[in-house]
Amino acid sequence: MPSPFPLIASPIRVDGVDLRNRIVMGSMHTGLEPEPERFDALARFYGDRARGGAGLIVTGGFAPNRAARVKDHPSLFDSRAAIAPHRRITDAVHGHGGRIVVQLLHAGRYGYHDEIVAPSPVQAPINRYLPAEMTDAQIRQTIGDYAASAALALEAGYDGVEIMGSEGYLISEFLATRTNHRTDDWGGSLQGRARFAIEVTAAVRRALGPDPIISYRISAADLIEGGLDNDETQWLARAVEAAGAGCLMTGIGWHESKVPTIAGAVPHAAFAGATARLKAAVSIPVIASNRINLPETAERVLRDGQADMVSMARPFLADAEIVDKALGGRAGQINLCIACNQACLDHYFLDQTVTCLVNPWAVRELERDEAPAARPKRIAVVGAGVAGIACALEAARRSHRVTLYDAAERPGGQLRLAAVVPGKEDYGRAIDNFENQLAAAGVETVYGTAVDAATLAGAGYDEIVLSTGVLPRALDIPGGDDPRVVGYTEILTGRATAGEAVLVIGGGGIGHDVALFLAHPDPGDLPALAAFEAHWGIAGTARHRPAARRVTMLKRSPGGFGRTLGKSTGWILRQELRDFGVRQIAGVRYLEIDAAGLHVETDGGREILAADTIVVCAGQESNAALATELAARGRPVHVIGGARLAGELDAKRAIDEGARLGNRL
Ligand code: NAP
Ligand code: SF4
C-alpha cells in the first residue's frame, strides 16, 4: 500500500547518519535530566518514541559546564560520570532502530541561579538574576566545554549533538545587539557577535569528526527588539553551515518575546515561512518546528518545500507512536497534542516532572501495567467525557470488555465544549481521534440515552465506573432566572446566542475562555495566519481588529483576573482580552437582576451593569447522583473526574484518574 505521507516516510542522510524518515522528535525537558539515577525512566521514554517510529530524537538540554545550567539542580554533561547513565538512553533508542542526539544548552542569562554569565551584564526581563560579563578566557573555556561535552556524548553512544543556538540562551545573547554590548572581538559587528556561535560549532565538529550529526538550533525569528533581521539570520545560517553544522533546527522567539510561539493561539505551522527563508540560504537539511501536530501539516510543509524535515516535540509526549500511526494508515487514531502546555511546560516551570494532559503515561511509562488482565471483566463506564474515555480505553487495552455510556449524542464532555474557543480548535480534533481509538480498541459505545441505575445494576457488570462529570453552578440571586441569563454550555454549544453587551460571571478558566469566545472578532475572509501575524505584530506593528462584543468579566474575589490560568499560556489569554477591550471588575457582590441590568456592589458603591446577555461561568458541582442510587442497590462504583471532585476540575486530573483506574481494574 502506498504511504499516506510519502514525504514524511522518505529517508534522509544528515552528516554521515541515515535517518529512516523526516520526523524529528524535538528537544523537551522532562524534569528527569538532573537525576541520572532515574535515567531508566528516561531511557524507556525515549526508547518508546524510537519504537514508535521517530526518525531522529533530540534530548532535553544538558549543560556543558556549571554556569550553563538552566536551574540550580543541574543537568550536566561535563564529566565521564555522565557516560554510563546516558548510555542507557542511547542503547534503548538504538535497540528500536532510532537515532538520537543530545542537546547542549548553555542557558546564559536565562539560567535561574546566581552563577549566570552572559556576553554583557544585561538582566533578562524574565529573570531576577543579573548575569556576570564573561571574560575572554571564560568564553574560550566555554567553547572548549562544548567540545568536551560533544566528545563525551560520542562515548555515550549518541549519534551527534544539537547546539542550542536560539530562544535567547547564551548563543543568542552573543548574536543580538540587545544583549551583546561588547567592544572586543566577541561583539560589535555581526561577524564579531557571531564569532562565539561559529567557534562553538567548529569546535564541536572537531570533537565529533565528520560523521556524527551536528544539528544547530538557529533562531529563525527572534521576535524581540534588538534581535537579528532576516538577512542577518540567513548570513548566520551560512556561517554555521561552513563551520560544520550538518542540519539546522528551527527555533522561534526568545523566551522573553511577547509573541506566542507554541500555544494554541498559534496557527499550525505558523513559522514554516521563516524556516523556508533559512532553507533558501543553505544546502544542509533544514527542520521546521512549532505547532506542527498533525502529519497532514508536516507532509504539507515538506511538499511545499519549506523544510527538509519536520520537528514535533510535544506531539511525542501525547503519543509515542505518532509516526508509526501516521505511516501505518492510522493517523486518525493519534493521541493529539492540543498545545495546552498544562502538563508539559507548566510542569517544568513548577519543577514537576513533565507529562502530558492527553497521555498521563508520558515520562511515567514504567508505572503502566501493559500486560493483558489475568481475568478479563465486563466493565461499564458511564460518562464519555475525557475521564471516561481515558478509563474505557485503558481498560479495553488490557483486554477487558468495556461499554461506554453517555447521555449526549457525542463524547467529549467539557473538552468538546471548549473546542469552539479561539485557539482551542485542536480540542475537537483530539476528541475525534479519541473516538477512533475507542472504536479500534473495541469499546462498545452507547450514546444518546441516560443509562439508569436499574439498568446498570441489572446488567451484571463486574465493575461500574462513574465519570458523569459536572453540572454548571447556577447564579443564585433574585432575577437569576431572567431570560438574559444563560449558562456557558448554552453559549459554547450555540443553543444560546449573546447580544452586543455581555456580562460574564466568574473569572476562572471557563470565564476567560467564554469572554474570549464572545469578544473575538469573526475572522471573515482573513486567513488565520494573516490574522495571527497582524494581531501580534510579527513583521510590523500589532493591529487589533475591533471586538465582536462589549464584554465585561466579573468575580467576587479581590485581585487580578487570570491567576489560575496556566503559567505558559495565561499571559496570552490575558493579553488577548486586553486587546479586545474586555473590562474586568473584581471584588463584586452580586445583588439582583432586573430590567435595568445586573446590580452589583463594589468598593466604590452600588452599580447597575446593563447587559443583553449574562453568561454564568460560576464553576460546577459534581454530578454523581447515580453513585448514591447504585449504592442503594448494593452496587459499589468507582467515581472519577469531575463527578468525584468538581472543584478545580480539570482535564489533566480527569484523564489521569481515568487512565490509572482503567489500568488497574
Ligand atoms: P473555576 O476556575 O473554579 O472558576 C469558577 C469561577 O466562578 C470563579 O472565578 C469564582 O470566582 C466564581 N464562582 C464560584 N462560585 C460562584 C457562585 N456561587 N456565584 C458566582 N460566582 C462563583 O471554574 P471554571 O472556570 O468553571 O473552570 C473549571 C476548571 O477548568 C478550572 O479549574 C480549570 O482548571 C479548567 N479550565 C482552564 C482553562 C484555562 O486555563 N484556560 C479554561 C477552561 C477550563 P469568585 O469566587 O471570585 O466569584
Ligand atoms: Fe500537548 Fe498539552 Fe500534552 Fe503538553 S500537556 S504535550 S501541550 S497535550
Side-chain angles (χ1 to χ4, degrees), residues 342 424 473-475 488 505-513 554-557 564-566 569 573 590 617-620 648-651:
Q342 268 180 257
K424 293 198 166 177
R473 189 177 285 127
L475 184 61
Y488 67 87
I505 307 278
I510 292 179
H512 280 78
D513 275 359
L554 304 159
K555 70 181 178 91
R556 300 169 305 177
S557 51
T564 59
L565 301 176
T569 52
L573 192 43
Y590 307 115
C617 310
Q620 300 87 11
E648 293 172 28
L649 152 86
D650 78 58

mmCIF file of all heavy atoms in Angstrom, residues 342 424 473-475 488 505-513 554-557 564-566 569 573 590 617-620 648-651, ligand 1:
data_model
loop_
_atom_site.group_PDB
_atom_site.id
_atom_site.type_symbol
_atom_site.label_atom_id
_atom_site.label_comp_id
_atom_site.label_asym_id
_atom_site.label_seq_id
_atom_site.Cartn_x
_atom_site.Cartn_y
_atom_site.Cartn_z
ATOM 1 N N GLN A 342 -0.308 22.375 29.701
ATOM 2 C CA GLN A 342 -0.653 22.228 31.112
ATOM 3 C C GLN A 342 0.197 21.206 31.855
ATOM 4 O O GLN A 342 0.497 21.389 33.027
ATOM 5 C CB GLN A 342 -2.124 21.813 31.234
ATOM 6 C CG GLN A 342 -3.063 22.982 31.388
ATOM 7 C CD GLN A 342 -4.501 22.525 31.509
ATOM 8 O OE1 GLN A 342 -5.259 22.615 30.560
ATOM 9 N NE2 GLN A 342 -4.874 22.035 32.653
ATOM 10 N N LYS A 424 -8.495 26.852 20.561
ATOM 11 C CA LYS A 424 -8.689 25.511 21.122
ATOM 12 C C LYS A 424 -9.296 24.559 20.095
ATOM 13 O O LYS A 424 -9.872 23.528 20.462
ATOM 14 C CB LYS A 424 -9.559 25.583 22.385
ATOM 15 C CG LYS A 424 -8.857 26.307 23.527
ATOM 16 C CD LYS A 424 -9.481 26.035 24.870
ATOM 17 C CE LYS A 424 -8.537 26.491 25.985
ATOM 18 N NZ LYS A 424 -9.099 26.321 27.321
ATOM 19 N N ARG A 473 -22.805 25.487 37.900
ATOM 20 C CA ARG A 473 -23.464 26.138 39.036
ATOM 21 C C ARG A 473 -24.344 27.281 38.524
ATOM 22 O O ARG A 473 -23.922 28.047 37.641
ATOM 23 C CB ARG A 473 -22.395 26.678 39.988
ATOM 24 C CG ARG A 473 -22.928 27.189 41.292
ATOM 25 C CD ARG A 473 -21.795 27.640 42.216
ATOM 26 N NE ARG A 473 -21.079 26.538 42.808
ATOM 27 C CZ ARG A 473 -19.758 26.377 42.753
ATOM 28 N NH1 ARG A 473 -19.006 27.248 42.111
ATOM 29 N NH2 ARG A 473 -19.173 25.359 43.335
ATOM 30 N N ALA A 474 -25.555 27.385 39.096
ATOM 31 C CA ALA A 474 -26.466 28.458 38.673
ATOM 32 C C ALA A 474 -26.170 29.724 39.474
ATOM 33 O O ALA A 474 -25.491 29.684 40.510
ATOM 34 C CB ALA A 474 -27.906 28.024 38.893
ATOM 35 N N LEU A 475 -26.663 30.829 38.981
ATOM 36 C CA LEU A 475 -26.477 32.105 39.685
ATOM 37 C C LEU A 475 -27.662 32.291 40.625
ATOM 38 O O LEU A 475 -28.790 32.542 40.181
ATOM 39 C CB LEU A 475 -26.414 33.251 38.663
ATOM 40 C CG LEU A 475 -26.128 34.635 39.218
ATOM 41 C CD1 LEU A 475 -24.773 34.686 39.921
ATOM 42 C CD2 LEU A 475 -26.171 35.673 38.093
ATOM 43 N N TYR A 488 -22.758 28.846 30.475
ATOM 44 C CA TYR A 488 -21.687 28.807 29.463
ATOM 45 C C TYR A 488 -21.881 27.660 28.481
ATOM 46 O O TYR A 488 -21.496 27.759 27.325
ATOM 47 C CB TYR A 488 -20.295 28.756 30.115
ATOM 48 C CG TYR A 488 -19.971 27.485 30.870
ATOM 49 C CD1 TYR A 488 -19.433 26.377 30.222
ATOM 50 C CD2 TYR A 488 -20.173 27.388 32.247
ATOM 51 C CE1 TYR A 488 -19.113 25.220 30.915
ATOM 52 C CE2 TYR A 488 -19.865 26.237 32.946
ATOM 53 C CZ TYR A 488 -19.343 25.152 32.278
ATOM 54 O OH TYR A 488 -19.046 24.001 32.950
ATOM 55 N N ILE A 505 -20.056 36.150 34.315
ATOM 56 C CA ILE A 505 -19.968 35.977 35.767
ATOM 57 C C ILE A 505 -18.956 34.874 36.046
ATOM 58 O O ILE A 505 -19.177 33.716 35.697
ATOM 59 C CB ILE A 505 -21.328 35.525 36.359
ATOM 60 C CG1 ILE A 505 -22.449 36.466 35.934
ATOM 61 C CG2 ILE A 505 -21.245 35.336 37.869
ATOM 62 C CD1 ILE A 505 -22.596 37.695 36.719
ATOM 63 N N GLY A 506 -17.830 35.221 36.684
ATOM 64 C CA GLY A 506 -16.833 34.215 37.030
ATOM 65 C C GLY A 506 -15.527 34.468 36.306
ATOM 66 O O GLY A 506 -15.516 34.701 35.093
ATOM 67 N N GLY A 507 -14.437 34.409 37.058
ATOM 68 C CA GLY A 507 -13.118 34.713 36.486
ATOM 69 C C GLY A 507 -12.214 33.501 36.465
ATOM 70 O O GLY A 507 -10.991 33.621 36.506
ATOM 71 N N GLY A 508 -12.797 32.297 36.365
ATOM 72 C CA GLY A 508 -11.978 31.089 36.247
ATOM 73 C C GLY A 508 -11.586 30.850 34.791
ATOM 74 O O GLY A 508 -11.792 31.705 33.914
ATOM 75 N N GLY A 509 -11.054 29.672 34.536
ATOM 76 C CA GLY A 509 -10.615 29.345 33.175
ATOM 77 C C GLY A 509 -11.755 29.441 32.187
ATOM 78 O O GLY A 509 -11.588 29.972 31.070
ATOM 79 N N ILE A 510 -12.926 28.988 32.591
ATOM 80 C CA ILE A 510 -14.051 28.993 31.649
ATOM 81 C C ILE A 510 -14.558 30.415 31.429
ATOM 82 O O ILE A 510 -14.892 30.801 30.307
ATOM 83 C CB ILE A 510 -15.152 28.019 32.126
ATOM 84 C CG1 ILE A 510 -14.602 26.586 32.000
ATOM 85 C CG2 ILE A 510 -16.442 28.204 31.338
ATOM 86 C CD1 ILE A 510 -15.519 25.481 32.450
ATOM 87 N N GLY A 511 -14.581 31.240 32.492
ATOM 88 C CA GLY A 511 -14.964 32.643 32.315
ATOM 89 C C GLY A 511 -14.054 33.328 31.298
ATOM 90 O O GLY A 511 -14.519 34.073 30.418
ATOM 91 N N HIS A 512 -12.760 33.082 31.405
ATOM 92 C CA HIS A 512 -11.813 33.682 30.452
ATOM 93 C C HIS A 512 -12.060 33.161 29.042
ATOM 94 O O HIS A 512 -12.059 33.934 28.073
ATOM 95 C CB HIS A 512 -10.371 33.384 30.877
ATOM 96 C CG HIS A 512 -9.873 34.281 31.962
ATOM 97 N ND1 HIS A 512 -10.219 34.116 33.278
ATOM 98 C CD2 HIS A 512 -9.073 35.383 31.917
ATOM 99 C CE1 HIS A 512 -9.647 35.067 34.005
ATOM 100 N NE2 HIS A 512 -8.944 35.852 33.195
ATOM 101 N N ASP A 513 -12.254 31.849 28.924
ATOM 102 C CA ASP A 513 -12.487 31.271 27.592
ATOM 103 C C ASP A 513 -13.751 31.841 26.955
ATOM 104 O O ASP A 513 -13.779 32.173 25.766
ATOM 105 C CB ASP A 513 -12.646 29.746 27.706
ATOM 106 C CG ASP A 513 -11.303 29.035 27.686
ATOM 107 O OD1 ASP A 513 -10.274 29.718 27.573
ATOM 108 O OD2 ASP A 513 -11.300 27.788 27.781
ATOM 109 N N LEU A 554 -16.725 39.573 35.565
ATOM 110 C CA LEU A 554 -16.929 39.908 36.975
ATOM 111 C C LEU A 554 -16.516 38.738 37.848
ATOM 112 O O LEU A 554 -16.688 37.580 37.470
ATOM 113 C CB LEU A 554 -18.415 40.197 37.238
ATOM 114 C CG LEU A 554 -19.059 41.286 36.382
ATOM 115 C CD1 LEU A 554 -20.570 41.128 36.367
ATOM 116 C CD2 LEU A 554 -18.679 42.649 36.923
ATOM 117 N N LYS A 555 -15.964 39.059 39.005
ATOM 118 C CA LYS A 555 -15.751 37.998 40.006
ATOM 119 C C LYS A 555 -15.852 38.583 41.401
ATOM 120 O O LYS A 555 -15.676 39.790 41.589
ATOM 121 C CB LYS A 555 -14.423 37.284 39.787
ATOM 122 C CG LYS A 555 -13.177 38.083 40.088
ATOM 123 C CD LYS A 555 -11.955 37.221 39.782
ATOM 124 C CE LYS A 555 -10.665 37.992 40.020
ATOM 125 N NZ LYS A 555 -10.116 37.859 41.344
ATOM 126 N N ARG A 556 -16.153 37.712 42.361
ATOM 127 C CA ARG A 556 -16.377 38.181 43.722
ATOM 128 C C ARG A 556 -15.061 38.429 44.465
ATOM 129 O O ARG A 556 -14.949 39.351 45.251
ATOM 130 C CB ARG A 556 -17.213 37.158 44.499
ATOM 131 C CG ARG A 556 -18.573 36.905 43.866
ATOM 132 C CD ARG A 556 -19.252 35.710 44.498
ATOM 133 N NE ARG A 556 -18.389 34.534 44.437
ATOM 134 C CZ ARG A 556 -18.677 33.361 44.959
ATOM 135 N NH1 ARG A 556 -19.820 33.199 45.597
ATOM 136 N NH2 ARG A 556 -17.846 32.362 44.861
ATOM 137 N N SER A 557 -14.088 37.580 44.212
ATOM 138 C CA SER A 557 -12.829 37.697 44.947
ATOM 139 C C SER A 557 -12.069 38.942 44.492
ATOM 140 O O SER A 557 -12.210 39.379 43.354
ATOM 141 C CB SER A 557 -11.987 36.447 44.721
ATOM 142 O OG SER A 557 -11.902 36.190 43.336
ATOM 143 N N THR A 564 -5.422 31.884 37.962
ATOM 144 C CA THR A 564 -5.498 30.413 37.942
ATOM 145 C C THR A 564 -5.158 29.848 36.561
ATOM 146 O O THR A 564 -5.132 28.634 36.385
ATOM 147 C CB THR A 564 -6.918 29.931 38.323
ATOM 148 O OG1 THR A 564 -7.850 30.506 37.380
ATOM 149 C CG2 THR A 564 -7.300 30.334 39.726
ATOM 150 N N LEU A 565 -4.897 30.727 35.607
ATOM 151 C CA LEU A 565 -4.585 30.221 34.261
ATOM 152 C C LEU A 565 -3.168 29.654 34.231
ATOM 153 O O LEU A 565 -2.344 29.966 35.078
ATOM 154 C CB LEU A 565 -4.718 31.357 33.237
ATOM 155 C CG LEU A 565 -6.082 32.026 33.158
ATOM 156 C CD1 LEU A 565 -6.044 33.201 32.172
ATOM 157 C CD2 LEU A 565 -7.157 31.028 32.734
ATOM 158 N N GLY A 566 -2.901 28.839 33.217
ATOM 159 C CA GLY A 566 -1.591 28.195 33.108
ATOM 160 C C GLY A 566 -0.477 29.222 32.978
ATOM 161 O O GLY A 566 -0.644 30.291 32.378
ATOM 162 N N THR A 569 0.576 29.881 29.275
ATOM 163 C CA THR A 569 -0.453 30.288 28.318
ATOM 164 C C THR A 569 -1.342 31.414 28.843
ATOM 165 O O THR A 569 -1.964 32.132 28.054
ATOM 166 C CB THR A 569 -1.380 29.105 27.957
ATOM 167 O OG1 THR A 569 -1.847 28.535 29.189
ATOM 168 C CG2 THR A 569 -0.674 28.059 27.131
ATOM 169 N N LEU A 573 -3.819 34.692 26.929
ATOM 170 C CA LEU A 573 -5.262 34.907 27.072
ATOM 171 C C LEU A 573 -5.537 36.278 27.698
ATOM 172 O O LEU A 573 -6.402 37.043 27.239
ATOM 173 C CB LEU A 573 -5.825 33.763 27.930
ATOM 174 C CG LEU A 573 -7.318 33.558 28.035
ATOM 175 C CD1 LEU A 573 -8.018 33.702 26.707
ATOM 176 C CD2 LEU A 573 -7.598 32.179 28.634
ATOM 177 N N TYR A 590 -22.838 40.179 43.914
ATOM 178 C CA TYR A 590 -23.997 40.175 43.022
ATOM 179 C C TYR A 590 -25.248 40.365 43.870
ATOM 180 O O TYR A 590 -25.456 39.638 44.839
ATOM 181 C CB TYR A 590 -24.085 38.848 42.261
ATOM 182 C CG TYR A 590 -22.796 38.491 41.537
ATOM 183 C CD1 TYR A 590 -22.054 37.371 41.913
ATOM 184 C CD2 TYR A 590 -22.328 39.268 40.488
ATOM 185 C CE1 TYR A 590 -20.870 37.041 41.267
ATOM 186 C CE2 TYR A 590 -21.140 38.952 39.837
ATOM 187 C CZ TYR A 590 -20.412 37.839 40.234
ATOM 188 O OH TYR A 590 -19.242 37.530 39.592
ATOM 189 N N CYS A 617 -20.524 31.625 34.449
ATOM 190 C CA CYS A 617 -19.358 30.716 34.424
ATOM 191 C C CYS A 617 -18.869 30.619 35.857
ATOM 192 O O CYS A 617 -17.731 30.969 36.166
ATOM 193 C CB CYS A 617 -18.253 31.262 33.536
ATOM 194 S SG CYS A 617 -18.787 31.769 31.893
ATOM 195 N N ALA A 618 -19.760 30.190 36.741
ATOM 196 C CA ALA A 618 -19.516 30.249 38.179
ATOM 197 C C ALA A 618 -19.073 28.896 38.731
ATOM 198 O O ALA A 618 -19.367 28.552 39.870
ATOM 199 C CB ALA A 618 -20.782 30.743 38.883
ATOM 200 N N GLY A 619 -18.361 28.145 37.948
ATOM 201 C CA GLY A 619 -17.876 26.852 38.429
ATOM 202 C C GLY A 619 -18.923 25.760 38.293
ATOM 203 O O GLY A 619 -19.976 25.962 37.668
ATOM 204 N N GLN A 620 -18.636 24.634 38.898
ATOM 205 C CA GLN A 620 -19.515 23.472 38.720
ATOM 206 C C GLN A 620 -19.700 22.716 40.025
ATOM 207 O O GLN A 620 -18.950 22.901 40.977
ATOM 208 C CB GLN A 620 -18.919 22.480 37.695
ATOM 209 C CG GLN A 620 -18.685 23.025 36.321
ATOM 210 C CD GLN A 620 -17.345 23.690 36.176
ATOM 211 O OE1 GLN A 620 -16.492 23.586 37.043
ATOM 212 N NE2 GLN A 620 -17.166 24.392 35.082
ATOM 213 N N GLU A 648 -11.800 22.709 41.184
ATOM 214 C CA GLU A 648 -10.560 22.584 40.434
ATOM 215 C C GLU A 648 -10.612 21.451 39.414
ATOM 216 O O GLU A 648 -9.604 20.819 39.112
ATOM 217 C CB GLU A 648 -9.361 22.380 41.363
ATOM 218 C CG GLU A 648 -9.086 23.610 42.198
ATOM 219 C CD GLU A 648 -8.034 23.348 43.243
ATOM 220 O OE1 GLU A 648 -7.191 22.483 43.002
ATOM 221 O OE2 GLU A 648 -8.096 24.007 44.282
ATOM 222 N N LEU A 649 -11.835 21.165 38.971
ATOM 223 C CA LEU A 649 -11.981 20.187 37.894
ATOM 224 C C LEU A 649 -11.044 20.578 36.768
ATOM 225 O O LEU A 649 -11.005 21.715 36.348
ATOM 226 C CB LEU A 649 -13.416 20.244 37.373
ATOM 227 C CG LEU A 649 -13.585 19.848 35.903
ATOM 228 C CD1 LEU A 649 -13.749 18.357 35.791
ATOM 229 C CD2 LEU A 649 -14.733 20.579 35.285
ATOM 230 N N ASP A 650 -10.252 19.693 36.328
ATOM 231 C CA ASP A 650 -9.564 19.990 35.082
ATOM 232 C C ASP A 650 -9.270 18.709 34.331
ATOM 233 O O ASP A 650 -9.222 17.626 34.890
ATOM 234 C CB ASP A 650 -8.347 20.901 35.271
ATOM 235 C CG ASP A 650 -7.145 20.187 35.802
ATOM 236 O OD1 ASP A 650 -6.711 19.242 35.158
ATOM 237 O OD2 ASP A 650 -6.635 20.603 36.866
ATOM 238 N N ALA A 651 -9.090 18.888 33.031
ATOM 239 C CA ALA A 651 -8.970 17.731 32.152
ATOM 240 C C ALA A 651 -7.733 16.908 32.481
ATOM 241 O O ALA A 651 -7.731 15.692 32.334
ATOM 242 C CB ALA A 651 -8.931 18.204 30.707
HETATM 243 P P1 NAP B 1 -13.184 27.864 38.389
HETATM 244 O O1 NAP B 1 -11.821 28.059 37.861
HETATM 245 O O2 NAP B 1 -13.355 27.217 39.708
HETATM 246 O O3 NAP B 1 -13.853 29.304 38.411
HETATM 247 C C1 NAP B 1 -15.154 29.485 38.824
HETATM 248 C C2 NAP B 1 -15.411 30.966 38.956
HETATM 249 O O4 NAP B 1 -16.717 31.145 39.396
HETATM 250 C C3 NAP B 1 -14.505 31.639 39.904
HETATM 251 O O5 NAP B 1 -13.963 32.754 39.232
HETATM 252 C C4 NAP B 1 -15.357 32.068 41.065
HETATM 253 O O6 NAP B 1 -14.905 33.369 41.318
HETATM 254 C C5 NAP B 1 -16.769 32.032 40.509
HETATM 255 N N1 NAP B 1 -17.767 31.478 41.408
HETATM 256 C C6 NAP B 1 -17.685 30.365 42.165
HETATM 257 N N2 NAP B 1 -18.851 30.166 42.833
HETATM 258 C C7 NAP B 1 -19.682 31.166 42.476
HETATM 259 C C8 NAP B 1 -21.010 31.498 42.824
HETATM 260 N N3 NAP B 1 -21.712 30.765 43.686
HETATM 261 N N4 NAP B 1 -21.554 32.611 42.274
HETATM 262 C C9 NAP B 1 -20.837 33.363 41.416
HETATM 263 N N5 NAP B 1 -19.570 33.089 41.061
HETATM 264 C C10 NAP B 1 -18.999 31.995 41.583
HETATM 265 O O7 NAP B 1 -14.063 27.049 37.385
HETATM 266 P P2 NAP B 1 -14.227 27.148 35.817
HETATM 267 O O8 NAP B 1 -13.925 28.485 35.292
HETATM 268 O O9 NAP B 1 -15.592 26.616 35.599
HETATM 269 O O10 NAP B 1 -13.162 26.158 35.260
HETATM 270 C C11 NAP B 1 -13.149 24.798 35.648
HETATM 271 C C12 NAP B 1 -11.770 24.230 35.515
HETATM 272 O O11 NAP B 1 -11.499 24.092 34.133
HETATM 273 C C13 NAP B 1 -10.680 25.113 36.069
HETATM 274 O O12 NAP B 1 -10.282 24.673 37.335
HETATM 275 C C14 NAP B 1 -9.558 24.975 35.093
HETATM 276 O O13 NAP B 1 -8.627 24.036 35.574
HETATM 277 C C15 NAP B 1 -10.168 24.384 33.851
HETATM 278 N N6 NAP B 1 -10.094 25.323 32.721
HETATM 279 C C16 NAP B 1 -8.972 26.023 32.492
HETATM 280 C C17 NAP B 1 -8.913 26.873 31.408
HETATM 281 C C18 NAP B 1 -7.678 27.647 31.092
HETATM 282 O O14 NAP B 1 -6.679 27.514 31.792
HETATM 283 N N7 NAP B 1 -7.676 28.468 30.044
HETATM 284 C C19 NAP B 1 -10.010 27.038 30.607
HETATM 285 C C20 NAP B 1 -11.161 26.338 30.890
HETATM 286 C C21 NAP B 1 -11.198 25.486 31.953
HETATM 287 P P3 NAP B 1 -15.256 34.236 42.557
HETATM 288 O O15 NAP B 1 -15.384 33.295 43.718
HETATM 289 O O16 NAP B 1 -14.129 35.189 42.666
HETATM 290 O O17 NAP B 1 -16.504 34.920 42.181
#
